[in-house]
C-alpha cells in the first residue's frame, strides 16, 4: 500500500513540476478549438434538438484532452524512467505490478481531469459570452463515471505501450496514427447522425465514440449512442486494458534504453 | 540457519544471445561476510546480480535469499536486498532528498527522514541534498545510488562495481563505509575490477570467467595457492648463485620466485648465499591480482615455475 501511495505521489509531483505545460497547453488549445469550430463554424449549426454546436463541442474537447493527457502522462513517465534507468528501481523494490498500474493510471486520471476541467471552464465562459447561459452538468455521476473510465483506460494504455516500446518513435506513432484518428472520428466535432449509414456503422466500431458520447450525455443529456451501451463498453475496455497492462508489466521490459 | 544468499547451478541464456551468460554457477554468501565476485568484462557478474534482484529470470537453477526462492516470493526477498547497479541512474525530475524519500516509500517506509539524513551525512551528500542528479559529479551520483540501496537498511547488500569512476580518496572512504556496514551485520556481495581492494575487503572471493566460476574460496587461501613469493636478494658484490628458483639477475640483484609453502629458512638453506655478501633481502608476497590473472587466463591453473 505504501508503495502504491509513493508511486502515486511521485507521479503527481512529476507532472506538477511541468504544471505550466499541464495547464497552459490545454487552455490555449481548447480556446482555439472553440474559437475556430464552436464560434465561427458552428454559428448556424444545430446538432441535436435544443443543443448549440458550441455546447455540443465542449464535452468532445474535454474527452479529447482527457484521453490525450492521460495517455501522455503515463507513457512519458514510463519512457523517461526507462531512459534514466530508474524504472529498474521499481522492479527491484518490493512493489507489486498492480500497485504500479493503479498508481500510474490514477495519476494519469488526475492529470487528465485537470485538463478536462480547464476545457470545461474555458468552454463555459465561451458559452456564457456567446449565448448568455451557463453550461450546467446534466448528470454529474454519469459525467464522473466516464471521466474516471477514460482516465484510467488511457493511463493503462499508456503504461502498456511504454513498457513494450523500445524507441520514442513508437510512442509518437501510436499517438499520431491510432489515437488521433480515432478521437477525430469518434464524434468529437460531429454527430454521427449526420454521416452516411455506412460510416455510422464504421464509427460504432470505434471504442472512443462511446467514451466521448458517454461524457456528452453526462454533461448535456444528449448522445449519439445509448448511454448504457457506452457504460458497458467502457467497463469492458477498462477490464481489458487492465489485463493488458498487467501482462505488459510482466512480460515487457523495465530495462533502460 | 538460512544463508543470506544461496545460488545453485544458476544458468542464464539471454534471448537472442549466442552464448550462455552464466553457465551453472554455485556459491553462497555467509552472514556478515563480504563476498567478492571477480571477473573480466562480460564474465556474467551483472547477470548474476540481476537474477538475484529478479530483473532477469534464471534459465535454470535457483537463487535463494535467506532461504526463500527469489522467483517464488519476490516481495519477501526484495525487502531483504539493497542493490547498487553498475550503471548510474540519472532520474531527472527530483532532487537527492526527494529521490531518497520516494525510494524509502517503495520499501514501505513513510517517515524515513532520520535514516536518509544519516546516510546523506555518511556519504558526504548532505550539502548536496537539494541538487538534481544531473548537477552531481560522477562520484556523488555513485554515492547517491549507494544511499538509495541503504534507505531500508537491507540485510543483504549487492554492489555491482560500486567504485567504478570514483576517485581514489573517495574510493577508500567507500570501502571503509562498506566495512562498517559489514561490522553492523550486513552481508555483502560485491563485484569489482579493483583487485587490490577486493583483496583488502573480501573475506571470500569467487573468480568467474566466461560464465563459470573458476575458483571459489577464502581470499587468503586463493592468494596462497595461486601465487609465489618473490624474494629479491641484493648482494654487496656479484656472486654466482645457482637455484631452480632464480629468475632474473640485474647487476647485484637476484630475483627468486619461490612457492608459497617454502619457508624462508628452507629457501636460504637450499640456496647457499654467503651471509657476508648479503646487503638486503626483500620479500614480496603474491597478491590477488597475480592469482586472478593466472586463473582467468586459464592456460594453466597450475603455477608454472
Ligand atoms: N540483456 C542482455 N541480452 C543479451 N546478452 C546480454 C545481456 N546482458 C548481458 N549480456 C551478455 O551476457 C554476458 C555477461 O554480461 P554481464 O553479466 O554484463 O557481464 P559482467 O557484468 O561480468 O561484465 C556478456 O556476454 C553480455 O554481452
Ligand atoms: Mg557488469
Amino acid at each position: 500500500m505504501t508503495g502504491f501511495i509513493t508511486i502515486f505521489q511521485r507521479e503527481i509531483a512529476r507532472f506538477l513540476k511541468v504544471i505550466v505545460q499541464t495547464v497552459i497547453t490545454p487552455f490555449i488549445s481548447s480556446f482555439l478549438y472553440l474559437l475556430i469550430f464552436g464560434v465561427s463554424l458552428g454559428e448556424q449549426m444545430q446538432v441535436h434538438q435544443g443543443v448549440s454546436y458550441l455546447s455540443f463541442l465542449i464535452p468532445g474537447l474535454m474527452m479529447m484532452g482527457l484521453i490525450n493527457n492521460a495517455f501522455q502522462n503515463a507513457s512519458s513517465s514510463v519512457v523517461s524512467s526507462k531512459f534514466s534507468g530508474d524504472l529498474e528501481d521499481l522492479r527491484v523494490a518490493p512493489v507489486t505490478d498492480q500497485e504500479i498500474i493503479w498508481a500510474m493510471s490514477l495519476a494519469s486520471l488526475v492529470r487528465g481531469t485537470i485538463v478536462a476541467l480547464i476545457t470545461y471552464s474555458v468552454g463555459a465562459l465561451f458559452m456564457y459570452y456567446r449565448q448568455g447561459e451557463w453550461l450546467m452538468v446534466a448528470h454529474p455521476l454519469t459525467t464522473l463515471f466516464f471521466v474516471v473510465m477514460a482516465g484510467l483506460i488511457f493511463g493503462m494504455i499508456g503504461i502498456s505501450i511504454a513498457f513494450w516500446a523500445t524507441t520514442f518513435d513508437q510512442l509518437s506513432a501510436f499517438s499520431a496514427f491510432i489515437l488521433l484518428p480515432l478521437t477525430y472520428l469518434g464524434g468529437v466535432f460531429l454527430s454521427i447522425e449526420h454521416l452516411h449509414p455506412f460510416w455510422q456503422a464504421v464509427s460504432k466500431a470505434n471504442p472512443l465514440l462511446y467514451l466521448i458520447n458517454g461524457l456528452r450525455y453526462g454533461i448535456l443529456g444528449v448522445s449519439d449512442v445509448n448511454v448504457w451501451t457506452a457504460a458497458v463498453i467502457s467497463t469492458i475496455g477498462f477490464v481489458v486494458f487492465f489485463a493488458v497492462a498487467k501482462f505488459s508489466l510482466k512480460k515487457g521490459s523495465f530495462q533502460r534504453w | 540457519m538460512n544463508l543470506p544468499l544461496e545460488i545453485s547451478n544458476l544458468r542464464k541464456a539471454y534471448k537472442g544471445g549466442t552464448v550462455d551468460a552464466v553457465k551453472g554457477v554455485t556459491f553462497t554468501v555467509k552472514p556478515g561476510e563480504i563476498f567478492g565476485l571477480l571477473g573480466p568484462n562480460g564474465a556474467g557478474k551483472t547477470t548474476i546480480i540481476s537474477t538475484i534482484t529478479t530483473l532477469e529470470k534464471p534459465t535454470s537453477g535457483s537463487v535463494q535469499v535467506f532461504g526463500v526462492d527469489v522467483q517464488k516470493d519476490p516481495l519477501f526477498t526484495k525487502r531483504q536486498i539493497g542493490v547498487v547497479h553498475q550503471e548510474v541512474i540519472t532520474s531527472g525530475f527530483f532532487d537527492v532528498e526527494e529521490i531518497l524519500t520516494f525510494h524509502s516509500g517503495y520499501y514501505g517506509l513513510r517517515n524515513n527522514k532520520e535514516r536518509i539524513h544519516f546516510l546523506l551525512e555518511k556519504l558526504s551528500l548532505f550539502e548536496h541534498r537539494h541538487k538534481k542528479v544531473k548537477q552531481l559529479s560522477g562520484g556523488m551520483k555513485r554515492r547517491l545510488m549507494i544511499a538509495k540501496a541503504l534507505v531500508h537498511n537491507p540485510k543483504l547488500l549487492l554492489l555491482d562495481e560500486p567504485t567504478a569512476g570514483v576517485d581514489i580518496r573517495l574510493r577508500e572512504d567507500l570501502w571503509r563505509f562498506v566495512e562498517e556496514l559489514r561490522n553492523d551485520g550486513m552481508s555483502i556481495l560485491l563485484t569489482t575490477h579493483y583487485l587490490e581492494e577486493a583483496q583488502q575487503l573480501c573475506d571470500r572471493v569467487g573468480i568467474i570467467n566466461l560464465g563459470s566460476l573458476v575458483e571459489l574460496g577464502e581470499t587468503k587461501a586463493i592468494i596462497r595457492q595461486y601465487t609465489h613469493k618473490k624474494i629479491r636478494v641484493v648482494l654487496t658484490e656479484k656472486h654466482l648463485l645457482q637455484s631452480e628458483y632464480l629468475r632474473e639477475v640485474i647487476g647485484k640483484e637476484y630475483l627468486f620466485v619461490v612457492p608459497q609453502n617454502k619457508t624462508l629458512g628452507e629457501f636460504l638453506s637450499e640456496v647457499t648465499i654467503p651471509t657476508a655478501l648479503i646487503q638486503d633481502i626483500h620479500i614480496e608476497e603474491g597478491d590477488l591480482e597475480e592469482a586472478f590473472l593466472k586463473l582467468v587466463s586459464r592456460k594453466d591453473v597450475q603455477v608454472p615455475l
Side-chain angles (χ1 to χ4, degrees):
Chain A
M1 192 61 189
T2 312
F4 160 77
I5 294 169
T6 307
I7 300 169
F8 180 70
Q9 282 177 335
R10 194 192 75 128
E11 287 296 297
I12 300 286
R14 193 185 69 85
F15 80 66
L16 287 182
K17 301 231 169 188
V18 286
I19 186 71
V20 175
Q21 188 188 322
T22 313
V23 174
I24 303 292
T25 314
F27 184 86
I28 293 174
S29 67
S30 49
F31 186 87
L32 287 177
Y33 273 124
L34 288 165
L35 197 67
I36 294 164
F37 291 98
V39 179
S40 32
L41 205 85
E43 206 78 291
Q44 307 90 352
M45 279 170 82
Q46 272 253 328
V47 224
H48 285 275
Q49 213 120 59
V51 174
S52 69
Y53 184 66
L54 189 58
S55 58
F56 174 86
L57 192 56
I58 294 168
L61 291 178
M62 286 170 68
M63 190 47 94
M64 189 166 88
L66 168 62
I67 284 173
N68 270 328
N69 278 275
F71 173 78
Q72 297 288 350
N73 189 69
S75 61
S76 67
S77 170
V78 171
V79 160
S80 65
S81 278
K82 272 190 175 180
F83 209 69
S84 59
D86 62 356
L87 195 62
E88 290 185 355
D89 286 350
L90 284 182
R91 173 85 312 173
V92 164
V95 290
T96 61
D97 289 353
Q98 289 225 32
E99 284 180 301
I100 298 174
I101 293 169
W102 281 111
M104 285 193 163
S105 46
L106 273 170
S108 298
L109 167 62
V110 171
R111 181 162 178 178
T113 305
I114 292 174
V115 170
L117 282 174
I118 291 169
T119 309
Y120 175 84
S121 312
V122 175
L125 286 175
F126 254 92
M127 253 187 78
Y128 185 73
Y129 177 71
R130 300 290 304 180
Q131 300 169 7
E133 52 183 312
W134 284 107
L135 176 63
M136 305 303 271
V137 176
H139 307 289
L141 285 180
T142 312
T143 302
L144 186 67
F145 174 81
F146 284 103
V147 165
V148 169
M149 280 296 153
L152 293 179
I153 289 173
F154 278 86
M156 286 166 184
I157 293 177
I159 295 170
S160 308
I161 290 184
F163 266 92
W164 291 108
T166 49
T167 60
F168 278 115
D169 291 344
Q170 293 171 351
L171 282 185
S172 19
F174 177 83
S175 281
F177 298 124
I178 298 178
L179 193 51
L180 196 68
L182 286 184
T183 5
Y184 280 13
L185 301 174
V188 171
F189 299 101
L190 279 176
S191 166
I192 61 166
E193 279 180 7
H194 300 295
L195 297 177
H196 182 277
F198 172 75
W199 291 111
Q200 274 193 33
V202 171
S203 297
K204 289 201 168 159
N206 178 357
L208 291 191
L209 180 79
Y210 300 91
L211 286 173
I212 292 165
N213 277 285
L215 184 68
R216 186 169 284 138
Y217 180 84
I219 290 178
L220 303 177
V222 298
S223 161
D224 282 353
V225 297
N226 180 294
V227 68
W228 288 106
T229 313
V232 168
I233 289 180
S234 307
T235 311
I236 292 171
F238 171 77
V239 173
V240 167
F241 284 107
F242 181 70
V244 170
K246 274 207 79 169
F247 178 77
S248 303
L249 258 72
K250 203 159 175 228
K251 300 284 179 193
S253 164
F254 282 72
Q255 239 175 26
R256 79 186 295 153
W257 286 356
Chain B
M1 196 187 149
N2 289 322
L3 290 169
L5 179 66
E6 214 170 338
I7 291 184
S8 326
N9 285 315
L10 178 67
R11 200 173 279 277
K12 174 71 191 179
Y14 284 106
K15 267 194 212 114
T18 45
V19 286
D20 291 359
V22 177
K23 308 168 186 163
V25 163
T26 301
F27 67 88
T28 60
V29 174
K30 295 174 183 158
E33 86 171 341
I34 302 180
F35 182 92
L37 198 54
L38 315 176
N41 274 327
K45 305 180 294 293
T46 300
T47 302
I48 292 176
I49 301 250
S50 299
T51 59
I52 304 171
T53 56
T54 72
L55 268 173
E56 296 290 348
K57 213 177 150 178
T59 306
S60 67
S62 79
V63 178
Q64 298 199 332
V65 172
F66 292 98
V68 176
D69 192 301
V70 296
Q71 291 292 325
K72 298 219 172 87
D73 188 358
L75 287 188
F76 171 83
T77 59
K78 286 170 177 180
R79 258 182 234 117
Q80 319 303 315
I81 300 173
V83 59
V84 178
H85 295 289
Q86 180 175 3
E87 303 285 335
V88 170
I89 286 171
T90 52
S91 32
F93 293 99
F94 302 109
D95 70 27
V96 168
E97 191 163 354
E98 285 171 322
I99 288 173
L100 293 174
T101 307
F102 287 132
H103 207 76
S104 303
Y106 299 159
Y107 287 85
L109 304 165
R110 296 287 289 162
N111 298 304
N112 204 25
K113 209 174 175 107
E114 210 172 306
R115 171 96 184 147
I116 290 171
H117 280 189
F118 166 78
L119 290 170
L120 287 174
E121 287 282 0
K122 230 20 214 184
L123 292 158
S124 328
L125 284 171
F126 193 76
E127 56 273 41
H128 307 293
R129 68 189 183 284
H130 296 310
K131 285 189 183 160
K132 297 265 171 69
V133 179
K134 57 175 170 283
Q135 296 169 283
L136 301 178
S137 71
M140 290 178 204
K141 284 183 192 147
R142 193 58 76 174
R143 280 176 281 150
L144 169 60
M145 290 180 57
I146 295 175
K148 266 167 72 181
L150 293 170
V151 283
H152 59 298
N153 208 352
K155 295 202 187 83
L156 173 64
L157 181 63
L158 312 174
L159 302 167
D160 197 359
E161 312 214 11
T163 52
V166 175
D167 67 54
I168 294 176
R169 199 179 56 80
L170 255 166
R171 210 186 292 164
E172 282 175 357
D173 285 349
L174 279 179
W175 291 126
R176 215 167 299 130
F177 185 47
V178 168
E179 270 186 327
E180 226 173 271
L181 292 170
R182 185 267 295 279
N183 293 340
D184 292 343
M186 210 175 272
S187 312
I188 296 162
L189 169 64
L190 106 101
T191 78
T192 182
H193 268 128
Y194 299 103
L195 292 161
E196 186 192 327
E197 285 143 344
Q199 175 175 349
Q200 187 185 315
L201 269 175
C202 299
D203 305 300
R204 290 192 310 133
V205 295
I207 293 177
I208 183 171
N209 193 23
L210 301 172
S212 305
L213 275 182
V214 291
E215 190 53 85
L216 177 69
E218 280 179 31
T219 314
K220 290 197 185 97
I222 289 180
I223 294 172
R224 219 176 300 123
Q225 190 178 349
Y226 293 100
T227 63
H228 291 95
K229 243 192 280 232
K230 291 197 185 78
I231 301 177
R232 198 179 293 277
V233 179
V234 186
L235 301 183
T236 51
E237 61 185 60
K238 284 197 177 185
H239 186 82
L240 184 65
L241 294 181
Q242 269 179 332
S243 160
E244 55 170 318
Y245 304 128
L246 183 59
R247 269 307 147 82
E248 204 176 59
V249 183
I250 307 166
K252 290 173 279 183
E253 268 190 48
Y254 299 77
L255 175 68
F256 299 88
V257 177
V258 182
Q260 290 282 9
N261 55 9
K262 195 161 283 288
T263 65
L264 188 59
E266 285 166 353
F267 168 75
L268 287 175
S269 58
E270 277 175 37
V271 188
T272 43
I273 309 173
T275 320
L277 291 183
I278 298 176
Q279 182 177 325
D280 238 331
I281 295 182
H282 305 275
I283 301 173
E284 257 177 62
E285 292 294 337
D287 58 16
L288 192 55
E289 182 153 1
E290 189 188 341
F292 177 83
L293 288 175
K294 252 166 217 153
L295 282 163
V296 300
S297 76
R298 289 257 53 186
K299 287 207 182 71
D300 190 353
V301 175
Q302 282 301 303
V303 181
L305 260 173

